Each structure stands twice: as structure tokens, then as C-alpha cells.
Amino acid sequence: MRTTDPGQLFEAATGGDRAALARIISLVERGSEAGAELSRMAFSHSHQAFTVGLTGAPGAGKSTLTNSLVEVMRRRGQEAAVLAIDPSSPFTGGAILGDRVRMQDHALDPGVYIRSMATRGHLGGLSVAVPETSRMLAAMGFPTIFIETVGVGQVEVEIAEEADTTVVVVNPGWGDAVQANKAGLMEIADVFVINKADRPGVRETRRDLESMLDMSEPGPWRPPILETVAQDGKGAEEVIEAVFAHHAFAESSGLAARRRQARLAKELSRLAQAMLARKVESLMAGEEFSAAVAEMNEGRLDPRTIANRLIGRL
Ligand SMILES: Nc1nc2c(ncn2[C@@H]2O[C@H](COP(=O)(O)OP(=O)(O)OP(=O)(O)O)[C@@H](O)[C@H]2O)c(=O)[nH]1
Ligand SMILES: [Mg+2]
């Protein structure tokens, strides 16, 4: 399918054409006009997907774990999509051979869609591109979407936080849980996973996590702490169980609905701010702007008066 017509692309992708879906996501990712139109189409679809954020320090095993979670989903006859936000992720094909071989298994599986994401000039950046892409995958019928982000940096942490259920991945060893806490991952976790449980220090890490949970405000949901050896798929079943248990809790307690609403509000605010910033930039490139600067320079008008006048015109 070589068309660039958004309507035709959308139709092809909903019919199962993966090349069309890949094109669509590239358009959305780039924030192009066609991408915006496609996002509107996806929004008007009523399909909703369950989004699972996975975050943690670089190299914690997020991709390997996601890989084994997808395997569990497939064994259960469920379809799943993966969005890997980290550019260094094995999903991009740039890394470890073992992961690539494993992902090739999934690559032949029509029930799995894996995509790495980077945003090049998208209006509002990742924080708008990710929800738009998630909705696209939901519109294509994927009931569950795993979103992997490195738990470093505010935007990445926010993206993980805005999933329906957030899994924080830590490793055994002294201080790892404390590091996660410092990175702001403690508050956003719905489920903790101690991955690389084949290594020493699991008990200490669990104790650290437990004591940090004890110190935090007790809520109706206490995040469970699970152990995995992601490479061997060990513990992956239990992680899926915990993730869906949290999902059920969130749906029945009203938490899911509250999160969805907060997420939409944030997305709208970011998008509006980005649009406004873009307009201001184009104003600043205009003649009127340079004339205004000249007026300020001569002391005839102050910046506030001029800014008000310019903004008023937007
Ligand atoms: N020993 C051991 N190694 C593991 C386990 N899970 C993953 N690894 C290894 O840890 C390394 C990093 O795994 P990734 O899955 O790429 O980690 P990641 O968190 O996705 O990394 P980034 O996306 O780069 O932040 C790889 O060499 C994996 O093979 C595990 O349970 N035990
Ligand atoms: Mg990764």
C-alpha cells in the first residue's frame, strides 16, 4: 500500500495491513498534518486499550521483561502491542542479539505489534505523541499496550505514570530501591518487579521496598513486589496476574476513570501550550514584532503592553 491518503491508510491498517500501520505511526510520531488527521480518526473510534507502563533504570531488564510478558499474553490467546520509548532499546534492533532473535519470533506473529518511538518535531513532544499512538493501537484492536520508558527524566517518568497500570522494575543489590525512590518511581508504582532475581541481594531490595511502602501514605492498593528472571520468563505469569489484578481494582474503585480524565486534561493542556508556543514563535519572526522591539528600544512602549497586544491578537 503506497498511498499517503490518511483515510485509505487508516482503512488498510484496521484491516490488518501492518505496513500501513507502521506508516501511520510514523506520521503521528512526526506530528505531520496527515498524522493529526489520523489521530482524529483514531479518537473517534470507541475502542479502549489497557495500557501498562514499564519503567526503571537503564538496563534493568524492561525490554526483556516486556518480551516475556508478551509471551504470557500470547499463551493466553491475547494480542498485545509494545511501544518502546527508549531509543537504546533492543526493540529498535540496535542491541543484543538474543533479544533480536526473540523479537523475531514475535515479528512473525500477527497478534503482536512492536514499535519503537522517537519524536521528531511532534507538537508537544513525547507527552502528546505517546497517547496519540496508544489510541491508534487501540483503534487497531489491540486490547493491551505495553509502554516501555527509561525511568530517567521527568517526561519519561510521566509517560510511564500515565499508563493505566505502572510497573516499576528494579534490580537486586544495595541501594537500587533507594535510587528508584530518588528518581520519583516510588510514588508511581502500582506493581514492583525485582528483575534479575537470579542475582544476589533480592531479599535486601525487597526489604528496602517494603519499608519505603510502609513509610508512604497507606492507600487502598498496596503495590505487590514480585521477582522475575526475565531472560527465562520466570515470574512473568505472576507479573501479568498482578497487572490485571491492579487493572480490575482500578476499574472497580473508580481510579481508572479518574486517571483517564486526568490524562486527557494533561494532554489537552500540553497540546494547547505547544500550539500557543508555535504561534508566538511565528509572531516573533514577523515584521510587527521587530517594529515593536524598535518602539521598546526608543522607550515609547514597555514589553508588557506590547506582549498583551500581540497575545490578544492570537
Ligand atoms: N541475569 C539476568 N540478566 C537479565 C535479566 N533480565 C535481563 N537481563 C539482561 O540485562 C541486560 C539489559 O536488559 P534489557 O531488557 O535490555 O534492559 P532495559 O531495561 O530494557 O534496558 P534499556 O532499555 O537500555 O534501559 C541484557 O543483557 C539482558 O539480557 C535477568 O532476569 N537476569
Ligand atoms: Mg529497553
Side-chain angles (χ1 to χ4, degrees):
M1 158 113 352
R2 300 202 63 82
T3 181
T4 50
D5 175 68
Q8 279 179 27
L9 272 177
F10 193 80
E11 210 185 302
T14 40
D17 183 337
R18 285 302 156 82
L21 178 54
R23 295 271 295 282
I24 287 176
I25 296 178
S26 298
L27 290 167
V28 170
E29 185 177 66
R30 250 174 257 148
S32 63
E33 199 39 58
E37 198 177 331
L38 284 156
S39 290
R40 279 192 286 271
M41 289 178 196
F43 196 88
S44 62
H45 255 249
S46 55
H47 293 280
Q48 292 240 355
F50 171 42
T51 53
V52 182
L54 287 110
T55 193
K62 301 175 293 295
S63 299
T64 314
L65 180 65
T66 304
N67 210 20
S68 50
L69 298 183
V70 168
E71 264 166 42
V72 173
M73 297 294 283
R74 295 306 289 143
R75 277 205 297 277
R76 297 182 174 193
Q78 301 255 5
E79 304 199 335
V82 177
L83 266 186
I85 311 297
D86 173 21
S88 74
S89 163
F91 290 123
T92 60
I96 310 130
L97 184 66
D99 279 338
R100 273 165 80 179
V101 171
R102 245 194 315 247
M103 292 330 291
Q104 274 165 9
D105 291 347
H106 289 315
L108 296 175
D109 180 350
V112 179
Y113 184 79
I114 295 157
R115 171 76 188 211
S116 64
M117 263 195 89
T119 47
R120 319 176 192 97
H122 189 288
L123 195 65
L126 269 186
S127 50
V128 176
V130 171
E132 283 187 341
T133 305
S134 300
R135 280 198 295 269
M136 188 60 68
L137 292 167
M140 297 306 152
F142 288 101
T144 308
I145 304 168
F146 295 96
I147 303 170
E148 177 194 338
T149 69
V150 179
V152 181
Q154 198 192 338
V155 175
E156 287 79 3
V157 171
E158 272 181 22
I159 285 165
E161 181 185 15
E162 284 172 21
D164 292 314
T165 296
T166 301
V167 178
V168 170
V169 184
V170 298
N171 289 156
W174 190 81
D176 203 48
V178 178
Q179 288 306 320
N181 191 21
K182 278 191 193 151
L185 302 184
M186 209 63 201
E187 307 96 82
I188 70 168
D190 299 311
V191 173
F192 282 105
V193 171
I194 306 175
N195 185 45
K196 307 194 186 182
D198 52 325
R199 293 188 177 173
V202 175
R203 213 179 322 141
E204 290 78 358
T205 302
R206 175 180 287 277
R207 196 193 50 214
D208 284 350
L209 289 174
E210 294 284 9
S211 68
M212 282 191 275
L213 285 174
D214 288 342
M215 280 186 288
S216 63
E217 196 71 36
W221 174 268
R222 184 175 168 108
I225 302 168
L226 302 162
E227 293 167 21
T228 58
V229 183
Q231 277 164 318
D232 310 335
K234 221 165 128 189
E237 288 274 354
E238 289 78 1
V239 175
I240 288 291
E241 291 294 338
V243 159
F244 279 91
H246 179 262
H247 185 39
F249 159 79
E251 287 296 342
S252 63
S253 65
L255 174 68
R258 279 200 303 280
R259 282 190 179 176
R260 270 197 290 271
Q261 193 171 332
R263 209 150 63 200
L264 286 170
K266 265 193 189 166
E267 186 184 347
L268 174 60
S269 147
R270 283 174 189 143
L271 194 55
Q273 285 182 44
M275 283 174 167
L276 207 56
R278 193 169 273 191
K279 286 199 172 174
V280 170
E281 266 163 35
S282 71
L283 252 183
M284 283 166 68
E287 260 171 42
E288 201 192 345
F289 189 81
S290 18
V293 172
E295 280 192 282
M296 284 195 307
N297 207 15
E298 288 156 17
R300 278 190 281 138
L301 274 176
D302 67 293
R304 274 178 192 277
T305 306
I306 300 178
N308 264 326
R309 201 164 69 190
L310 291 176
I311 295 294
R313 201 103 39 72
L314 297 177

